Amino acid sequence: VQLAGDILVPDTKPDIINIIGVNGLEIVKKEEVMDSRIRLEGSWNGILIYLSDLGETRSLNINLDFLDNIENEKI
């Protein structure tokens, strides 16, 4: 599973200047196979590593729920 999209930074973290890296683990809680499609539900738990406005390297824990439909004629 590849997660892509914008990261909404909480107002408690206004000091993020540059995102250095993102690392995490996806957990598929439910999968449903249909004709030419797979539906996945789960969550992603990870850490965002960033450079603060003070020049310090900091991290932020992130937990995201996801729902994804993958379409492919070979399924």
Side-chain angles (χ1 to χ4, degrees):
V1 176
Q2 180 179 359
L3 300 176
D6 295 331
I7 298 172
L8 299 177
V9 179
D11 290 339
T12 58
K13 295 289 183 186
D15 62 338
I16 295 178
I17 298 298
N18 188 26
I19 295 174
I20 298 170
V22 178
N23 191 10
L25 175 67
E26 69 273 350
I27 300 166
V28 176
K29 297 176 183 175
K30 182 179 177 184
E31 67 180 60
E32 185 178 347
V33 179
M34 296 167 269
D35 214 15
S36 301
R37 186 173 69 165
I38 297 176
R39 182 174 188 251
L40 300 172
E41 286 183 50
S43 62
W44 183 83
N45 301 315
I47 297 175
L48 174 79
I49 301 169
Y50 66 95
L51 182 66
S52 75
D53 57 359
L54 299 176
E56 300 169 332
T57 301
R58 296 187 180 172
S59 65
L60 176 65
N61 290 325
I62 301 172
N63 298 305
L64 301 171
D65 291 326
F66 67 85
L67 172 62
D68 196 12
N69 290 301
I70 301 168
E71 294 191 30
N72 188 322
E73 293 178 9
K74 294 180 182 180
I75 296 174

